[in-house]
Amino acid sequence: MNFSKLPQLVDKRGKLKSKGTYSKRTKTITHRVWHHSLTKKHLGGSDAASFADYHVNTLGWPGVGYTFIIEPKNLINTPNGKRARIVYAHDIDRRTYHVGNSNQFALGICVAGDYRYDTMDDATIASIADLHSALVKDNIGKNDTSHSEMPGYSWKACCVYNYRKHIEWQGLTTPVTPSPAPDTYTIQEGDTLWSIAHKDGTGGVQVEDLIKANPGINPAKLQIGQKINFGNAKEVIVQPDNDTKEETKPSSSGDAIVRSIQKTLNSRYKFGLVVDGIKGPKTKSALIKALQTELNNQFKAGLVVDGKWGSKTKAAIVTVKKGAKGNLTWVLQAELYLEGYNPGSLDSIFGKDTETALSKFQKDKKITADNKAGKATFTKLFAA
Ligand SMILES: [Zn+2]
């Protein structure tokens, strides 16, 4: 085996916290799945031993869920230069828990760190590339994927580093960004409320949210295939304000829909706009504030709510696509309307009319018309 000869590899099989053993795989490994630990890389808990404690004590798994763990804080001098230590935790043929129903054929590799905030250093990237090339030579797995690219996990912010670039993968180089959490989630093998909740769902769902959203659920008795509600992980559906209806009467000043947008901004966010029905910079700025508020509340973006479009707001944008519902969808609809693209009723639901308005806007602005509002679309809508 080439991987076992890597100078930065330490064999910790049988030496990490465990409670029983993982069973043997019934399928050949086809996927090498890349994870990160979502623990800041320099903190005490960011290593294989701590992950093993957490997976065994808190999640109740037989052992740490990954076969390999790369530890950026443990540097090893090798003949090839500095490398992050690679912990070899389980025999390759053990079906560890890391991607639910795909565990049988998926090899789990975790890079310690939270790459939503941490930056990856060269010694770590080198260890990723070294391990990858050894596994390829050893014929272990055929495809590289991120956790979020495995069935059922598109909402996971894992891994967020560019594993494709790091392994010099020869295809797409854009890593996927997590999509909003679904309404319901189907329990997969090894899932617990703690592993599902974690802090890495796009909406930052917590265990308490899951318990609240699933009255009567018994966290100790989750069944594979059981459907649970995601609760606060998804956008909150907002009923249209009752008092906006009167504003559609043609008797008042300005554009009735613009007035309803201004009224909603005032009632929902307390912005104190003058309700004059006139499309102006103040209304647009208030919509940016609404957007920033929603990104903070729903996605813990930590933005300054200043009503100004900037790089931080752009970086925090989540993709809003067909079927989405909630305040972000409403902001999109309202701004499309202000820009002269009618999304139909501003009902906070991304349906056919919103799609039509969006794709017209995208075509006019020469953005790839993919019927999804992502960073490029929001920039065209909001950048001055
Ligand atoms: Zn993961």
Side-chain angles (χ1 to χ4, degrees):
M1 286 293 166
N2 289 284
F3 79 80
S4 59
K5 295 187 198 110
L6 290 171
Q8 70 268 46
L9 185 127
V10 286
D11 186 356
K12 292 255 183 189
R13 287 174 300 167
K15 293 181 189 138
L16 297 167
K17 179 102 186 172
S18 66
K19 195 175 179 189
T21 47
Y22 283 111
S23 62
K24 275 200 170 173
R25 297 178 189 277
T26 56
K27 291 180 182 161
T28 310
I29 295 170
T30 52
H31 291 65
R32 295 175 291 259
V33 182
W34 298 88
H35 299 262
H36 66 150
S37 62
L38 287 135
T39 52
K40 290 281 190 69
K41 67 179 182 178
H42 293 300
L43 294 183
S46 238
D47 53 33
S50 303
F51 306 151
D53 286 346
Y54 178 71
H55 288 175
V56 172
N57 295 337
T58 305
L59 304 186
W61 293 352
V64 67
Y66 316 109
T67 302
F68 296 104
I69 299 101
I70 299 177
E71 300 175 330
K73 65 176 177 176
N74 291 320
L75 288 178
I76 293 188
N77 286 311
T78 77
N80 308 318
K82 276 197 170 51
R83 294 288 189 269
R85 185 167 88 154
I86 303 171
V87 171
Y88 177 25
H90 298 286
D91 288 334
I92 297 291
D93 68 356
R94 293 288 151 174
R95 179 217 45 173
T96 63
Y97 293 166
H98 61 114
V99 281
N101 297 346
S102 305
N103 290 332
Q104 292 287 12
F105 56 86
L107 180 80
I109 306 161
C110 179
V111 181
D114 184 347
Y115 295 98
R116 295 174 302 177
Y117 312 108
D118 287 333
T119 43
M120 204 174 265
D121 49 78
D122 292 343
T124 304
I125 295 173
S127 276
I128 292 173
D130 287 350
L131 179 60
H132 176 258
S133 84
L135 291 171
V136 169
K137 277 188 209 143
D138 293 333
N139 213 7
I140 299 168
K142 289 186 175 62
N143 312 298
D144 292 283
T145 64
S146 70
H147 187 177
S148 64
E149 291 164 324
M150 297 305 281
Y153 291 112
S154 62
W155 50 279
K156 280 267 181 188
C158 184
C159 61
V160 294
Y161 55 85
N162 195 339
Y163 72 92
R164 290 172 174 164
K165 196 170 96 192
H166 299 339
I167 63 178
E168 294 177 319
W169 194 76
Q170 298 294 314
L172 282 171
T173 51
T174 320
V176 295
T177 49
S179 47
D183 292 357
T184 57
Y185 175 75
T186 307
I187 299 295
Q188 300 197 23
E189 178 184 80
D191 283 340
T192 71
L193 288 191
W194 285 264
S195 72
I196 297 165
H198 228 244
K199 48 267 169 190
D200 56 347
T202 320
V205 67
Q206 305 294 324
V207 172
E208 305 84 71
D209 299 329
L210 291 174
I211 291 171
K212 237 185 267 166
N214 296 275
I217 198 170
N218 182 345
K221 285 194 180 152
L222 297 178
Q223 307 281 330
I224 295 175
Q226 180 184 353
K227 283 198 170 26
I228 64 161
N229 295 318
F230 250 128
N232 289 354
K234 63 183 284 299
E235 279 205 74
V236 182
I237 301 172
V238 176
Q239 299 303 329
D241 296 336
N242 286 328
D243 60 351
T244 58
K245 286 206 181 70
E246 73 178 70
E247 285 298 321
T248 56
K249 276 188 259 162
S251 56
S252 313
S253 65
D255 180 308
I257 295 176
V258 176
R259 264 186 285 121
S260 85
I261 291 170
Q262 292 166 332
K263 280 205 101 175
T264 301
L265 287 167
N266 286 345
S267 66
R268 192 176 290 160
Y269 303 102
K270 312 277 175 277
F271 287 160
L273 283 171
V274 177
V275 180
D276 57 6
I278 296 166
K279 304 176 189 182
K282 283 189 181 152
T283 305
K284 184 163 183 162
S285 170
L287 272 178
I288 297 176
K289 281 208 266 180
L291 179 68
Q292 291 167 329
T293 304
E294 294 302 332
L295 291 170
N296 286 348
N297 291 347
Q298 299 186 44
F299 301 100
K300 300 192 168 41
L303 296 169
V304 178
V305 179
D306 59 2
K308 290 181 192 135
W309 182 262
S311 57
K312 285 191 179 146
T313 305
K314 183 180 176 184
I317 286 292
V318 294
T319 301
V320 180
K321 56 188 175 188
K322 201 168 185 182
K325 47 201 167 188
N327 293 350
L328 274 177
T329 304
W330 180 85
V331 170
L332 173 68
Q333 292 175 325
E335 179 60 14
L336 280 169
Y337 185 82
L338 294 187
E339 296 296 318
Y341 298 82
N342 191 351
S345 82
L346 273 55
D347 56 2
S348 311
I349 299 169
F350 194 131
K352 210 163 178 324
D353 293 340
T354 306
E355 191 180 18
T356 306
L358 175 65
S359 83
K360 270 178 87 178
F361 175 81
Q362 290 179 325
K363 269 180 207 141
D364 289 351
K365 301 292 173 191
K366 306 207 165 30
I367 305 168
T368 311
D370 56 2
N371 295 336
K372 288 184 268 190
K375 289 181 172 54
T377 300
F378 276 102
T379 302
K380 281 283 181 210
L381 282 168
F382 284 113

